[in-house]
Amino acid sequence: MLQLDHVKKSFSGRIVLKIPSFEFRNGIYWLKGPNGSGKTTLLRIVSGLLPFEGKVVCNDVDLRRQPILYRQMVSWAEAEPLYPLFLTGTELVALYRSIRKADPKDVDYLIAAFGVDNYIDSPVGTWSAGMTKKVALLLAFIGKPSLVVLDEPLITLDEHALSVVSGLIAERCQDPGTLFLLSSHQDADMSLLPAGEEIFVQNQTISHAISI
Amino acid sequence: MRYPYKLLFRSIVRPFYRENLSIFFFLFILFFGIEGEVDGAELWQFHYSLVQGMTRQGGYLWVVLVAWGWYAWKCGRFVTGLFRRPEYRWIAIYNNLGKGARFRLLLLVNSWLMLPVLLYGMIVAVIDCYDGFIIPVLMIWAYLAVLVVVLAGWQLFRLGDLYGWSLLRIRLPFISYPFVLLRQVVYKQWALWLGLKVFACGAVYAIALNNSFSDYDIAFPFLFFNFGILANGILVYGLREFEETSLSFYRGAARPLGQRLAEYALVYFILLLPELVILARLVPVHLHAADAFLFYCCAYGLVLTMHAVTFLRHFGKKEYFLLLVMIFSVQYFFIAGFGLAAMSGCLLGVAVISFLRGYYGYERVG
């Protein structure tokens, strides 16, 4: 469960987000909203990547007070991930695995599932945007995070990868302690994805929508 | 062949000269724009004696050859840098040409890029041939030819391997954050790092060598050494930029702040190893052990401070370099008032406090 309390974020004096109070129960949430509405900012805040005013608590762990414990529970994949061009996918996976203390077998399973084994050993500089995106999503699934934050997980993915992501989300959601926060600014083919709740990010705040 | 050549000329040679116009203008004024007399000699005589000194004194010639080699390397980096840019992806079409044709095109392009050096090489050739020194001319021109050929060969390789990174690959049996940062220095900033080391180590070594047991002074060596360390700010800034663009994910990793600080401390300890070695070499005759230790502590503290302050807020390049000048000024008065030991402690303290206070509160603006 993720709680936001008086979360406020400004950039150069301009308020981007002002959320009095909001609670995400475990499950899947789709953050919707136009460009510049603050979806990515919100996701970056709950991932512990941006400073903010207010309180963010996940499973009773306060991001400000227990930053390490909080970050142990969270994984994050960017919309347009960037990694050092000279690193190989294998090295990135090893870095994540060492940080998250994940089981090598689980990582091997993810590598096979995403079908990245044919290029994972090559440097990031040789990959296309879609290949990088797949690896970014793979990295987000490493370990057993309670809160998985995926910014625009559907863009640049091929159909196979889309079904893999969808399958993994459904699989992880069987664990009642897992919360997915996903963002999208367009209507994706939701038939491929597990059901979730839509949240609208607009007018600097967020509001519930309907189950899809 | 004309059209492929024209396109390469417009997309490589022109941007190169446009980008470096101010430097060439400065060098031209420095070498040829000085009116009147230089040290009692006319401009022609100035160059005449310059060339004579170059080809008659081995040491001077080596310096010039290294400088020309460095210029060639800069040209090569510029071109391969262009090859990697998204707007230059079209250049892959040249791979449809035969290897020989591509090589000839690149030879022409590189001859244009090396034109300032080649022109000066011609002046050298005229003067030396006039004086009857044919061998140095042949050596210089053989060297210039090798530079142009190697450049063309290197670019030919990169053109065929546009997205490949097969050269200079480092494979380690383990991966850690400090080594990712160090690899960035190895891949992208090694020339800068080397230049900084040559300056800081060379300055302190050359000046401190004058010290003896009877005639001992640390103020002057420290001034130059400290300036060399301060110049590491360019490297620090580059590393932080790299972190913000390509390693932003690491901020979200579950790592204690102390461990993060220790990782940065390890990176800068490794980057400052040459200074440590040079200072150790100067002990005990040219530098007392205690002074060498304080020199190093100051250097280490200064580099860590330059790194840590970048977490307090986002600094633009100009702002950051202005900050470095301010740090230098503060250091100057601090040393005068309190000495090296106090400054070392203070720098280390500022670094730790700035890092711990700033790390999680930092955000990049713009």
Side-chain angles (χ1 to χ4, degrees), chain B residues 311-348:
Chain B
F311 289 106
L312 293 176
R313 74 175 182 86
H314 176 67
F315 292 101
K317 227 178 217 171
K318 278 185 189 166
E319 280 181 308
Y320 184 69
F321 294 132
L322 196 66
L323 183 74
L324 296 190
V325 173
M326 282 168 64
I327 290 176
F328 187 68
S329 315
V330 171
Q331 272 188 305
Y332 184 81
F333 289 108
F334 207 96
I335 293 171
F338 304 99
L340 279 180
M343 196 178 71
S344 309
C346 206
L347 282 170
L348 287 168

Side-chain angles (χ1 to χ4, degrees), chain B residues 40-77:
Chain B
E42 295 289 338
L43 185 62
W44 163 251
Q45 284 166 326
F46 166 67
H47 281 280
Y48 183 71
S49 51
L50 203 66
V51 170
Q52 278 187 324
M54 187 199 300
T55 46
R56 309 315 185 257
Q57 293 173 27
Y60 183 30
L61 181 62
W62 277 111
V63 171
V64 172
L65 294 185
V66 167
W68 286 353
W70 179 79
Y71 175 79
W73 179 78
K74 291 290 283 182
C75 293
R77 293 280 297 182

Side-chain angles (χ1 to χ4, degrees), chain A residues 17-134:
Chain A
L17 281 175
K18 197 174 177 184
I19 305 166
S21 181
F22 204 88
E23 190 175 292
F24 294 94
R25 294 179 306 278
N26 292 333
I28 303 167
Y29 289 86
W30 282 93
L31 265 63
K32 299 263 178 179
N35 289 337
S37 58
K39 298 185 301 293
T40 299
T41 301
L42 177 60
L43 295 183
R44 288 176 68 85
I45 285 172
V46 299
S47 302
L49 295 165
L50 268 186
F52 61 96
E53 288 173 47
K55 201 169 171 184
V56 173
V57 179
C58 181
N59 295 339
D60 297 327
V61 177
D62 190 319
L63 170 55
R64 273 188 202 285
R65 295 186 179 187
Q66 297 150 290
I68 309 305
L69 201 57
Y70 182 94
R71 284 176 169 82
Q72 280 171 358
M73 296 189 293
V74 182
S75 75
W76 149 259
E78 280 186 88
E80 289 167 12
L82 284 173
Y83 300 109
L85 300 181
F86 53 80
L87 282 187
T88 64
T90 314
E91 287 169 324
L92 273 173
V93 166
L95 185 64
Y96 267 73
R97 196 165 60 76
S98 72
I99 292 169
R100 299 239 175 96
K101 297 177 175 55
D103 186 344
K105 279 183 191 166
D106 291 345
V107 176
D108 291 342
Y109 164 74
L110 286 172
I111 290 171
F114 273 97
V116 297
D117 36 0
N118 57 338
Y119 68 87
I120 194 82
D121 204 28
S122 58
V124 173
T126 63
W127 299 350
S128 70
M131 291 156 91
T132 312
K133 182 77 178 177
K134 273 194 212 177

Side-chain angles (χ1 to χ4, degrees), chain B residues 108-187:
Chain B
L108 272 173
V109 165
N110 283 294
S111 304
W112 276 109
L113 298 182
M114 292 286 289
L115 192 65
V117 169
L118 296 177
L119 284 176
Y120 204 79
M122 282 172 77
I123 295 175
V124 173
V126 169
I127 291 173
D128 271 1
C129 287
Y130 178 75
D131 285 351
F133 281 86
I134 305 296
I135 302 292
V137 171
L138 290 177
M139 277 172 59
I140 285 170
W141 273 92
Y143 176 72
L144 290 175
V146 166
L147 284 183
V148 176
V149 168
V150 167
L151 273 181
W154 176 22
Q155 287 151 12
L156 181 70
F157 168 75
R158 295 313 297 260
L159 188 64
D161 181 36
L162 278 178
Y163 307 105
W165 292 75
S166 53
L167 281 182
L168 266 176
R169 289 281 309 283
I170 301 170
R171 280 176 185 276
L172 295 168
F174 61 97
I175 178 101
S176 67
Y177 193 69
F179 279 92
V180 176
L181 295 179
L182 288 171
R183 282 166 68 177
Q184 168 68 7
V185 176
V186 170
Y187 285 120

Side-chain angles (χ1 to χ4, degrees), chain B residues 1-7 94 97-98 100-102 104-105 108:
Chain B
M1 186 61 81
R2 277 191 64 167
Y3 202 68
Y5 165 70
K6 268 187 182 174
L7 264 182
Y94 281 86
L97 293 171
R102 269 179 287 163
R104 281 194 297 277
L105 279 173
L108 272 173

Side-chain angles (χ1 to χ4, degrees), chain B residues 55-325:
Chain B
T55 46
R56 309 315 185 257
Q57 293 173 27
Y60 183 30
L61 181 62
W62 277 111
V63 171
V64 172
L65 294 185
V66 167
W68 286 353
W70 179 79
Y71 175 79
W73 179 78
K74 291 290 283 182
C75 293
R77 293 280 297 182
F78 179 83
V79 177
T80 53
L82 288 183
F83 285 174
R84 280 200 298 273
R85 279 161 57 168
E87 62 268 33
Y88 275 77
R89 284 197 181 134
W90 61 271
I91 221 151
I93 194 75
Y94 281 86
N95 285 324
N96 291 356
L97 293 171
K99 255 188 189 165
R102 269 179 287 163
F103 186 69
R104 281 194 297 277
L105 279 173
L106 289 168
L107 266 183
L108 272 173
V109 165
N110 283 294
S111 304
W112 276 109
L113 298 182
M114 292 286 289
L115 192 65
V117 169
L118 296 177
L119 284 176
Y120 204 79
M122 282 172 77
I123 295 175
V124 173
V126 169
I127 291 173
D128 271 1
C129 287
Y130 178 75
D131 285 351
F133 281 86
I134 305 296
I135 302 292
V137 171
L138 290 177
M139 277 172 59
I140 285 170
W141 273 92
Y143 176 72
L144 290 175
V146 166
L147 284 183
V148 176
V149 168
V150 167
L151 273 181
W154 176 22
Q155 287 151 12
L156 181 70
F157 168 75
R158 295 313 297 260
L159 188 64
D161 181 36
L162 278 178
Y163 307 105
W165 292 75
S166 53
L167 281 182
L168 266 176
R169 289 281 309 283
I170 301 170
R171 280 176 185 276
L172 295 168
F174 61 97
I175 178 101
S176 67
Y177 193 69
F179 279 92
V180 176
L181 295 179
L182 288 171
R183 282 166 68 177
Q184 168 68 7
V185 176
V186 170
Y187 285 120
K188 297 280 179 188
Q189 293 176 293
W190 69 267
L192 173 66
W193 179 81
L194 198 67
L196 292 169
K197 299 302 115 176
V198 168
F199 180 80
C201 297
V204 74
Y205 193 78
I207 298 169
L209 268 185
N210 297 321
N211 281 345
S212 61
F213 285 117
S214 55
D215 185 15
Y216 187 76
D217 167 53
I218 61 162
F220 205 47
F222 182 77
L223 184 73
F224 278 85
F225 177 68
N226 191 54
F227 189 73
I229 298 298
L230 200 74
N232 279 266
I234 308 166
L235 189 84
V236 171
Y237 193 84
L239 266 184
R240 286 287 295 120
E241 287 288 298
F242 167 67
E243 272 194 298
E244 290 304 318
T245 50
S246 300
L247 292 167
S248 58
F249 68 89
Y250 194 70
R251 184 177 288 270
R255 283 277 198 256
L257 266 182
Q259 188 179 338
R260 290 178 192 267
L261 180 60
E263 287 173 342
Y264 288 125
L266 175 65
V267 169
Y268 289 113
F269 175 75
I270 292 171
L271 293 179
L272 286 182
L273 272 177
E275 281 85 348
L276 187 63
V277 172
I278 285 293
L279 291 172
R281 294 248 330 152
L282 289 166
V283 171
V285 180
H286 308 295
L287 213 54
H288 297 160
D291 289 332
F293 177 72
L294 286 177
F295 272 38
Y296 183 75
C297 286
C298 273
Y300 194 51
L302 178 57
V303 172
L304 285 182
T305 299
M306 290 192 294
H307 180 85
V309 292
T310 59
F311 289 106
L312 293 176
R313 74 175 182 86
H314 176 67
F315 292 101
K317 227 178 217 171
K318 278 185 189 166
E319 280 181 308
Y320 184 69
F321 294 132
L322 196 66
L323 183 74
L324 296 190
V325 173

